[in-house]
């Protein structure tokens, strides 16, 4: 029996994503101004290269702290911006850190070399040997270079996620080394008690955010809710649903459309986390995920035993009804991307049109549930089958199915090629960008 929720759309005067994004920009801009103020108060060096080098180092340190905030998985930010967009910003800021720290090292080395008899290479060696903290900074820069190299698109495609993630963890070592270098050798850091207090606060907030979001909050929620598997149900030859229950699930702040990083605590799987969306709207009693056997992690779900303990990190994602700005909606799903779409339909209020794109009828997992739910909600359901070419979700085809598409919020989830094609169609149909909602879950795991 499907439980139908009626959730009113939120006020649309100021969109949550705009509030969060503006807030982040404002925080970064305010801190950049404070850094410039303390830098000016500390006095300028004798050469322009040293001035530029010190300023680049300070802004590199600020970007490192901001970087930690972006990956802290703080619920307030994640619900409004989404892990995929935060991770995209994290990548851009990471390359910003690389270039500012490189500028810091190069400008200072050449600046000090101007006033000495040493060439730049020997000048750098001399600084590392004679100035406390410089050697730590050189090591930190080397780590940042390695992490930046493996984060490039070509290297990222060749590396397994686990290998990339393990190398990425060394960023925290670079952060600690950079901070201790700043404490030991930073002229701005040592220029006044106010500057010192400011920088301790910046690093303290950044590190505390990571500790709370990545460690303390997941541990607390799992201790509180004690999730266990209650049923494992095959939906097709290669798709399975896992049902879970636990304590006080009505207090778990999960919404339809969100996902968790799931760890099933068995001997061979406890260390492996996989991102799967909720395939049913949370009802305060149970959680359900539905996954296709696309890899070792998802394929093994079929063999998880009832009673298995589950460690779930989340909920994550901004693919929720929180971001609605129109009273009616269009939900477009492709393949197993139907899981968050099915959950969203359960929660959405107002008229909805659902388009489910699959290669053939037998690939339409959860279709019976979707049909029953659409009937109960008064929604239109279109099952679109056939090969990828010709494109059955081209602009003209979409307009035939949904003539008022520009007046609806559009929620989209499916394989990347299909999503890219549909996003192109939506652009051609002039659907306003704020009305288009999607997340790319591949970067979560």
């Amino acid at each position: 029996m499907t439980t139908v929720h009626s959730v009113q759309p939120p006020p649309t005067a100021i969109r949550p994503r705009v509030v969060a994004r503006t807030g982040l920009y404002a925080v970064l801009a305010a801190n950049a101004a404070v850094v410039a103020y303390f830098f000016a108060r500390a006095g300028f060096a004798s050469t322009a290269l040293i001035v530029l080098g010190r300023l680049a180092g300070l802004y590199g340190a600020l970007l490192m702290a901001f970087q930690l905030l972006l990956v802290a998985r703080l619920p307030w930010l994640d619900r409004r911006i989404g892990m995929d967009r935060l991770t995209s910003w994290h990548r851009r800021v990471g390359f910003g850190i690389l270039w500012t720290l490189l500028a810091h090292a190069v400008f200072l080395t050449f600046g000090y070399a101007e006033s000495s008899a040493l060439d730049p290479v020997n000048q750098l060696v001399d600084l590392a040997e004679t100035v406390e903290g410089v050697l730590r900074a050189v090591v930190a820069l080397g780590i940042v270079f390695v992490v930046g190299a493996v984060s490039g698109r070509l290297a990222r495609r060749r590396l397994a996620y686990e290998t990339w993630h393990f190398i990425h963890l060394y960023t925290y070592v670079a952060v600690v080394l950079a901070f201790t270098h700043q404490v030991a050798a930073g002229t701005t850091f040592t220029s006044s008690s106010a500057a010192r207090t400011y920088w301790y606060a910046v690093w303290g907030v950044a590190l505390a955010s990571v500790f709370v979001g990545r460690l303390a909050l997941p541990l607390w929620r799992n201790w509180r809710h004690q999730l266990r598997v209650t049923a494992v149900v095959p939906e097709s030859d290669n798709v399975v649903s896992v049902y879970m229950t636990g304590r006080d699930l009505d207090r778990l702040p999960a919404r339809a459309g969100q996902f968790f990083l799931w760890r099933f605590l068995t001997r061979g799987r406890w260390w492996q986390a996989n991102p799967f969306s909720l395939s049913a709207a949370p009802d305060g009693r149970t959680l359900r995920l539905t996954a296709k056997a696309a890899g070792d992690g998802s394929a093994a779900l079929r063999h998880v035993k009832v009673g298995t303990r589950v460690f779930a990190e989340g909920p994550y994602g901004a693919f929720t009804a929180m971001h609605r700005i129109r009273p009616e909606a269009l939900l477009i799903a492709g393949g197993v991307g139907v899981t968050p779409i099915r959950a969203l339909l359960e929660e959405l209020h107002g008229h909805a049109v659902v388009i489910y794109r699959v290669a053939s009828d037998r690939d339409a997992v959860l279709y019976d549930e979707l049909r029953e739910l659409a009937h109960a909600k008064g929604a239109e359901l279109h099952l679109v089958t056939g090969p990828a070419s010709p494109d059955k979700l081209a602009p003209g085809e979409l307009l035939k199915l949904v003539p008022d598409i520009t007046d609806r919020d559009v929620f989209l989830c499916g394989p990347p090629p299909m999503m890219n094609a549909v996003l192109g169609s939506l652009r051609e149909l002039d659907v306003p960008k704020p009305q288009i909602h999607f997340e790319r879950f591949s970067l979560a795991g």
Side-chain angles (χ1 to χ4, degrees):
M1 178 99 181
T2 301
T3 301
V4 178
H5 299 269
S6 180
V7 179
Q8 295 293 335
T12 59
I14 303 178
R15 291 185 292 129
R17 183 173 290 122
V18 172
V19 172
R21 188 172 59 231
T22 303
L24 277 178
Y25 291 159
V27 167
L28 184 60
N31 279 276
V34 173
V35 167
Y37 169 74
F38 283 124
F39 176 75
R41 282 197 59 184
F44 296 106
S46 55
T47 70
L49 286 176
I50 294 177
V51 170
L52 291 173
R54 288 177 178 173
L55 191 58
L58 290 172
Y59 282 126
L62 181 61
L63 286 177
M64 290 184 86
F66 188 66
Q67 181 84 303
L68 293 176
L69 189 66
L70 292 178
V71 297
R73 296 180 184 169
L74 298 176
W76 190 89
L77 279 178
D78 184 79
R79 285 196 300 267
R80 287 159 177 79
I81 296 177
M83 186 187 287
D84 64 336
R85 288 176 176 84
L86 287 172
T87 306
S88 176
W89 295 357
H90 164 78
R91 185 175 183 275
R92 295 174 190 173
V93 171
F95 286 108
I97 292 170
L98 176 62
W99 291 114
T100 53
L101 295 187
L102 179 62
H104 172 64
V106 170
F107 286 149
L108 283 183
T109 300
F110 277 82
Y112 283 114
E114 277 187 353
S115 56
S116 71
L118 299 174
D119 61 83
V121 174
N122 286 317
Q123 179 65 63
L124 180 60
V125 172
D126 181 68
L127 288 172
E129 291 177 345
T130 59
V131 180
E132 183 184 0
V134 171
L135 182 59
R136 293 194 290 270
V138 172
V139 174
L141 181 60
I143 293 173
V144 171
F145 259 106
V146 172
V147 173
V150 301
S151 296
R153 294 187 186 279
L154 182 61
R156 185 67 184 89
R157 292 192 190 103
R158 295 174 178 270
L159 286 175
Y161 171 75
E162 290 77 13
T163 303
W164 172 85
H165 182 68
F166 179 76
I167 295 173
H168 221 69
L169 289 176
Y170 278 94
T171 303
Y172 294 109
V173 177
V175 167
V176 173
L177 292 174
F179 176 66
T180 57
H181 161 69
Q182 188 179 17
V183 171
T187 54
T188 301
F189 190 92
T190 58
S191 64
S192 70
S193 58
R196 202 158 40 246
T197 301
Y198 165 77
W199 279 108
Y200 273 123
V202 167
W203 286 109
V205 168
L207 292 171
S209 297
V210 172
F211 174 78
V212 170
R214 302 293 289 262
L215 183 63
L217 188 57
L219 288 174
W220 158 251
R221 283 180 174 167
N222 281 275
W223 176 84
R224 180 179 190 179
H225 299 299
Q226 301 285 316
L227 290 176
R228 289 185 181 273
V229 174
T230 57
V232 178
V233 179
E235 304 288 356
S236 70
D237 292 342
N238 61 350
V239 178
V240 64
S241 289
V242 180
Y243 293 76
M244 290 153 283
T245 190
R247 302 186 310 189
D248 301 326
L249 290 187
D250 56 317
R251 299 190 177 186
L252 180 66
R255 294 194 63 171
Q258 292 189 298
F259 68 96
F260 288 79
L261 299 178
W262 306 92
R263 296 176 190 267
F264 294 88
L265 304 184
T266 60
R267 180 175 297 178
R269 289 183 49 85
W270 65 268
W271 55 272
Q272 189 175 14
N274 293 100
F276 299 119
S277 297
L278 296 173
S279 59
D283 60 7
R285 300 182 303 277
T286 61
L287 299 175
R288 185 183 76 172
L289 67 87
T290 302
K292 183 178 180 179
D296 293 341
S298 51
L301 289 176
R302 189 178 295 268
H303 307 293
V304 172
K305 295 181 179 179
V306 171
T308 298
R309 284 288 305 276
V310 182
F311 188 94
E313 297 176 52
Y316 297 128
F319 191 65
T320 68
M322 169 189 276
H323 298 279
R324 289 185 65 184
I325 62 176
R326 308 293 295 181
E328 298 181 337
L330 167 62
L331 310 178
I332 305 177
V336 79
V338 72
T339 57
I341 293 295
R342 183 253 179 250
L344 272 171
L345 178 60
E346 191 173 357
E347 183 181 287
L348 286 178
H349 176 83
H351 184 263
V353 177
V354 183
I355 300 175
Y356 188 9
R357 179 72 169 95
V358 288
S360 64
D361 290 350
R362 67 175 179 272
D363 297 316
V365 297
L366 303 181
Y367 182 68
D368 290 340
E369 285 187 25
L370 203 60
R371 183 172 53 193
E372 176 191 343
L373 188 56
H375 176 73
K377 301 279 288 186
E380 297 177 34
L381 175 60
H382 302 279
L383 182 64
V384 179
T385 61
S389 181
D391 185 4
K392 295 189 177 181
L393 296 181
E397 302 299 321
L398 278 179
L399 200 58
K400 289 179 185 177
L401 293 173
V402 196
D404 61 345
I405 190 170
T406 57
D407 295 324
R408 294 175 178 268
D409 278 297
V410 181
F411 291 86
L412 169 65
C413 187
M418 173 232 167
M419 288 180 63
N420 291 335
V422 173
L423 288 171
S425 295
L426 296 175
R427 284 193 295 270
E428 285 192 42
L429 292 171
D430 294 323
V431 178
K433 189 174 181 180
Q435 293 171 212
I436 302 173
H437 314 283
F438 65 95
E439 273 188 314
R440 302 185 188 276
F441 298 101
S442 60
L443 47 81

PDB file of all heavy atoms in Angstrom, residues 24-45:
ATOM      1  N   LEU A  24      27.872  31.869   0.824  1.00  0.00           N
ATOM      2  CA  LEU A  24      29.248  31.397   0.675  1.00  0.00           C
ATOM      3  C   LEU A  24      30.135  32.460   0.025  1.00  0.00           C
ATOM      4  O   LEU A  24      31.264  32.708   0.467  1.00  0.00           O
ATOM      5  CB  LEU A  24      29.274  30.123  -0.171  1.00  0.00           C
ATOM      6  CG  LEU A  24      28.983  28.807   0.538  1.00  0.00           C
ATOM      7  CD1 LEU A  24      29.006  27.657  -0.459  1.00  0.00           C
ATOM      8  CD2 LEU A  24      29.992  28.544   1.643  1.00  0.00           C
ATOM      9  N   TYR A  25      29.628  33.092  -1.033  1.00  0.00           N
ATOM     10  CA  TYR A  25      30.400  34.144  -1.690  1.00  0.00           C
ATOM     11  C   TYR A  25      30.676  35.294  -0.723  1.00  0.00           C
ATOM     12  O   TYR A  25      31.789  35.860  -0.704  1.00  0.00           O
ATOM     13  CB  TYR A  25      29.642  34.674  -2.908  1.00  0.00           C
ATOM     14  CG  TYR A  25      29.539  33.712  -4.062  1.00  0.00           C
ATOM     15  CD1 TYR A  25      28.555  33.865  -5.038  1.00  0.00           C
ATOM     16  CD2 TYR A  25      30.426  32.648  -4.190  1.00  0.00           C
ATOM     17  CE1 TYR A  25      28.455  32.987  -6.115  1.00  0.00           C
ATOM     18  CE2 TYR A  25      30.328  31.765  -5.254  1.00  0.00           C
ATOM     19  CZ  TYR A  25      29.341  31.937  -6.212  1.00  0.00           C
ATOM     20  OH  TYR A  25      29.248  31.062  -7.263  1.00  0.00           O
ATOM     21  N   ALA A  26      29.667  35.646   0.069  1.00  0.00           N
ATOM     22  CA  ALA A  26      29.831  36.759   1.008  1.00  0.00           C
ATOM     23  C   ALA A  26      30.872  36.429   2.069  1.00  0.00           C
ATOM     24  O   ALA A  26      31.705  37.271   2.437  1.00  0.00           O
ATOM     25  CB  ALA A  26      28.491  37.091   1.660  1.00  0.00           C
ATOM     26  N   VAL A  27      30.848  35.191   2.573  1.00  0.00           N
ATOM     27  CA  VAL A  27      31.829  34.769   3.577  1.00  0.00           C
ATOM     28  C   VAL A  27      33.236  34.820   2.999  1.00  0.00           C
ATOM     29  O   VAL A  27      34.183  35.321   3.639  1.00  0.00           O
ATOM     30  CB  VAL A  27      31.499  33.351   4.089  1.00  0.00           C
ATOM     31  CG1 VAL A  27      32.670  32.774   4.880  1.00  0.00           C
ATOM     32  CG2 VAL A  27      30.252  33.383   4.964  1.00  0.00           C
ATOM     33  N   LEU A  28      33.390  34.314   1.773  1.00  0.00           N
ATOM     34  CA  LEU A  28      34.716  34.314   1.148  1.00  0.00           C
ATOM     35  C   LEU A  28      35.200  35.737   0.890  1.00  0.00           C
ATOM     36  O   LEU A  28      36.368  36.072   1.158  1.00  0.00           O
ATOM     37  CB  LEU A  28      34.666  33.518  -0.156  1.00  0.00           C
ATOM     38  CG  LEU A  28      36.000  33.345  -0.880  1.00  0.00           C
ATOM     39  CD1 LEU A  28      37.006  32.629   0.000  1.00  0.00           C
ATOM     40  CD2 LEU A  28      35.789  32.566  -2.188  1.00  0.00           C
ATOM     41  N   ALA A  29      34.313  36.603   0.390  1.00  0.00           N
ATOM     42  CA  ALA A  29      34.705  37.985   0.098  1.00  0.00           C
ATOM     43  C   ALA A  29      35.068  38.738   1.373  1.00  0.00           C
ATOM     44  O   ALA A  29      36.055  39.494   1.402  1.00  0.00           O
ATOM     45  CB  ALA A  29      33.568  38.702  -0.634  1.00  0.00           C
ATOM     46  N   ALA A  30      34.283  38.544   2.440  1.00  0.00           N
ATOM     47  CA  ALA A  30      34.565  39.231   3.705  1.00  0.00           C
ATOM     48  C   ALA A  30      35.909  38.799   4.261  1.00  0.00           C
ATOM     49  O   ALA A  30      36.699  39.628   4.750  1.00  0.00           O
ATOM     50  CB  ALA A  30      33.446  38.946   4.709  1.00  0.00           C
ATOM     51  N   ASN A  31      36.202  37.501   4.185  1.00  0.00           N
ATOM     52  CA  ASN A  31      37.489  37.020   4.692  1.00  0.00           C
ATOM     53  C   ASN A  31      38.651  37.493   3.828  1.00  0.00           C
ATOM     54  O   ASN A  31      39.739  37.774   4.346  1.00  0.00           O
ATOM     55  CB  ASN A  31      37.479  35.491   4.784  1.00  0.00           C
ATOM     56  CG  ASN A  31      36.791  34.996   6.037  1.00  0.00           C
ATOM     57  OD1 ASN A  31      37.395  34.920   7.097  1.00  0.00           O
ATOM     58  ND2 ASN A  31      35.510  34.683   5.921  1.00  0.00           N
ATOM     59  N   ALA A  32      38.434  37.598   2.515  1.00  0.00           N
ATOM     60  CA  ALA A  32      39.488  38.128   1.644  1.00  0.00           C
ATOM     61  C   ALA A  32      39.810  39.564   2.022  1.00  0.00           C
ATOM     62  O   ALA A  32      40.989  39.977   2.024  1.00  0.00           O
ATOM     63  CB  ALA A  32      39.045  38.039   0.182  1.00  0.00           C
ATOM     64  N   ALA A  33      38.781  40.347   2.375  1.00  0.00           N
ATOM     65  CA  ALA A  33      39.005  41.737   2.792  1.00  0.00           C
ATOM     66  C   ALA A  33      39.745  41.795   4.125  1.00  0.00           C
ATOM     67  O   ALA A  33      40.651  42.625   4.305  1.00  0.00           O
ATOM     68  CB  ALA A  33      37.660  42.461   2.900  1.00  0.00           C
ATOM     69  N   VAL A  34      39.395  40.909   5.051  1.00  0.00           N
ATOM     70  CA  VAL A  34      40.076  40.884   6.352  1.00  0.00           C
ATOM     71  C   VAL A  34      41.540  40.498   6.176  1.00  0.00           C
ATOM     72  O   VAL A  34      42.433  41.084   6.807  1.00  0.00           O
ATOM     73  CB  VAL A  34      39.367  39.900   7.311  1.00  0.00           C
ATOM     74  CG1 VAL A  34      40.170  39.734   8.597  1.00  0.00           C
ATOM     75  CG2 VAL A  34      37.960  40.386   7.634  1.00  0.00           C
ATOM     76  N   VAL A  35      41.809  39.529   5.315  1.00  0.00           N
ATOM     77  CA  VAL A  35      43.193  39.122   5.052  1.00  0.00           C
ATOM     78  C   VAL A  35      43.990  40.294   4.494  1.00  0.00           C
ATOM     79  O   VAL A  35      45.132  40.551   4.913  1.00  0.00           O
ATOM     80  CB  VAL A  35      43.218  37.919   4.079  1.00  0.00           C
ATOM     81  CG1 VAL A  35      44.635  37.687   3.550  1.00  0.00           C
ATOM     82  CG2 VAL A  35      42.695  36.675   4.761  1.00  0.00           C
ATOM     83  N   ALA A  36      43.407  41.016   3.538  1.00  0.00           N
ATOM     84  CA  ALA A  36      44.094  42.177   2.962  1.00  0.00           C
ATOM     85  C   ALA A  36      44.361  43.238   4.030  1.00  0.00           C
ATOM     86  O   ALA A  36      45.434  43.868   4.039  1.00  0.00           O
ATOM     87  CB  ALA A  36      43.256  42.760   1.828  1.00  0.00           C
ATOM     88  N   TYR A  37      43.401  43.428   4.940  1.00  0.00           N
ATOM     89  CA  TYR A  37      43.568  44.424   6.004  1.00  0.00           C
ATOM     90  C   TYR A  37      44.744  44.064   6.912  1.00  0.00           C
ATOM     91  O   TYR A  37      45.617  44.906   7.182  1.00  0.00           O
ATOM     92  CB  TYR A  37      42.276  44.522   6.808  1.00  0.00           C
ATOM     93  CG  TYR A  37      42.409  45.319   8.087  1.00  0.00           C
ATOM     94  CD1 TYR A  37      42.502  46.712   8.055  1.00  0.00           C
ATOM     95  CD2 TYR A  37      42.455  44.671   9.314  1.00  0.00           C
ATOM     96  CE1 TYR A  37      42.631  47.448   9.228  1.00  0.00           C
ATOM     97  CE2 TYR A  37      42.588  45.393  10.495  1.00  0.00           C
ATOM     98  CZ  TYR A  37      42.671  46.777  10.448  1.00  0.00           C
ATOM     99  OH  TYR A  37      42.805  47.497  11.615  1.00  0.00           O
ATOM    100  N   PHE A  38      44.779  42.820   7.380  1.00  0.00           N
ATOM    101  CA  PHE A  38      45.876  42.415   8.264  1.00  0.00           C
ATOM    102  C   PHE A  38      47.210  42.402   7.531  1.00  0.00           C
ATOM    103  O   PHE A  38      48.258  42.703   8.119  1.00  0.00           O
ATOM    104  CB  PHE A  38      45.596  41.041   8.878  1.00  0.00           C
ATOM    105  CG  PHE A  38      44.594  41.069  10.004  1.00  0.00           C
ATOM    106  CD1 PHE A  38      43.458  40.289   9.970  1.00  0.00           C
ATOM    107  CD2 PHE A  38      44.794  41.888  11.110  1.00  0.00           C
ATOM    108  CE1 PHE A  38      42.532  40.310  11.003  1.00  0.00           C
ATOM    109  CE2 PHE A  38      43.890  41.929  12.163  1.00  0.00           C
ATOM    110  CZ  PHE A  38      42.754  41.137  12.100  1.00  0.00           C
ATOM    111  N   PHE A  39      47.188  42.085   6.247  1.00  0.00           N
ATOM    112  CA  PHE A  39      48.421  42.102   5.457  1.00  0.00           C
ATOM    113  C   PHE A  39      48.975  43.521   5.370  1.00  0.00           C
ATOM    114  O   PHE A  39      50.180  43.747   5.535  1.00  0.00           O
ATOM    115  CB  PHE A  39      48.130  41.554   4.065  1.00  0.00           C
ATOM    116  CG  PHE A  39      49.307  41.606   3.138  1.00  0.00           C
ATOM    117  CD1 PHE A  39      50.349  40.705   3.273  1.00  0.00           C
ATOM    118  CD2 PHE A  39      49.378  42.552   2.125  1.00  0.00           C
ATOM    119  CE1 PHE A  39      51.445  40.754   2.409  1.00  0.00           C
ATOM    120  CE2 PHE A  39      50.457  42.609   1.272  1.00  0.00           C
ATOM    121  CZ  PHE A  39      51.502  41.705   1.407  1.00  0.00           C
ATOM    122  N   ALA A  40      48.098  44.493   5.116  1.00  0.00           N
ATOM    123  CA  ALA A  40      48.539  45.891   5.022  1.00  0.00           C
ATOM    124  C   ALA A  40      49.053  46.389   6.362  1.00  0.00           C
ATOM    125  O   ALA A  40      50.048  47.133   6.426  1.00  0.00           O
ATOM    126  CB  ALA A  40      47.390  46.762   4.530  1.00  0.00           C
ATOM    127  N   ARG A  41      48.388  45.996   7.455  1.00  0.00           N
ATOM    128  CA  ARG A  41      48.817  46.441   8.785  1.00  0.00           C
ATOM    129  C   ARG A  41      50.185  45.893   9.152  1.00  0.00           C
ATOM    130  O   ARG A  41      50.930  46.519   9.925  1.00  0.00           O
ATOM    131  CB  ARG A  41      47.803  45.995   9.836  1.00  0.00           C
ATOM    132  CG  ARG A  41      46.554  46.855   9.890  1.00  0.00           C
ATOM    133  CD  ARG A  41      45.816  46.630  11.192  1.00  0.00           C
ATOM    134  NE  ARG A  41      46.645  46.943  12.351  1.00  0.00           N
ATOM    135  CZ  ARG A  41      46.267  46.756  13.618  1.00  0.00           C
ATOM    136  NH1 ARG A  41      45.075  46.226  13.875  1.00  0.00           N
ATOM    137  NH2 ARG A  41      47.061  47.072  14.612  1.00  0.00           N
ATOM    138  N   ALA A  42      50.521  44.713   8.624  1.00  0.00           N
ATOM    139  CA  ALA A  42      51.809  44.103   8.972  1.00  0.00           C
ATOM    140  C   ALA A  42      52.984  44.802   8.300  1.00  0.00           C
ATOM    141  O   ALA A  42      54.140  44.588   8.676  1.00  0.00           O
ATOM    142  CB  ALA A  42      51.794  42.624   8.583  1.00  0.00           C
ATOM    143  N   GLY A  43      52.712  45.642   7.290  1.00  0.00           N
ATOM    144  CA  GLY A  43      53.786  46.351   6.602  1.00  0.00           C
ATOM    145  C   GLY A  43      54.249  45.595   5.374  1.00  0.00           C
ATOM    146  O   GLY A  43      54.141  44.368   5.296  1.00  0.00           O
ATOM    147  N   PHE A  44      54.769  46.340   4.407  1.00  0.00           N
ATOM    148  CA  PHE A  44      55.172  45.744   3.136  1.00  0.00           C
ATOM    149  C   PHE A  44      56.663  45.452   3.129  1.00  0.00           C
ATOM    150  O   PHE A  44      57.451  46.124   3.803  1.00  0.00           O
ATOM    151  CB  PHE A  44      54.823  46.677   1.980  1.00  0.00           C
ATOM    152  CG  PHE A  44      53.341  46.888   1.826  1.00  0.00           C
ATOM    153  CD1 PHE A  44      52.756  48.082   2.214  1.00  0.00           C
ATOM    154  CD2 PHE A  44      52.537  45.885   1.315  1.00  0.00           C
ATOM    155  CE1 PHE A  44      51.396  48.280   2.083  1.00  0.00           C
ATOM    156  CE2 PHE A  44      51.178  46.069   1.176  1.00  0.00           C
ATOM    157  CZ  PHE A  44      50.590  47.270   1.557  1.00  0.00           C
ATOM    158  N   ALA A  45      57.036  44.442   2.351  1.00  0.00           N
ATOM    159  CA  ALA A  45      58.437  44.060   2.229  1.00  0.00           C
ATOM    160  C   ALA A  45      59.175  45.016   1.297  1.00  0.00           C
ATOM    161  O   ALA A  45      58.580  45.911   0.695  1.00  0.00           O
ATOM    162  CB  ALA A  45      58.527  42.625   1.713  1.00  0.00           C
TER     163      ALA A  45
END
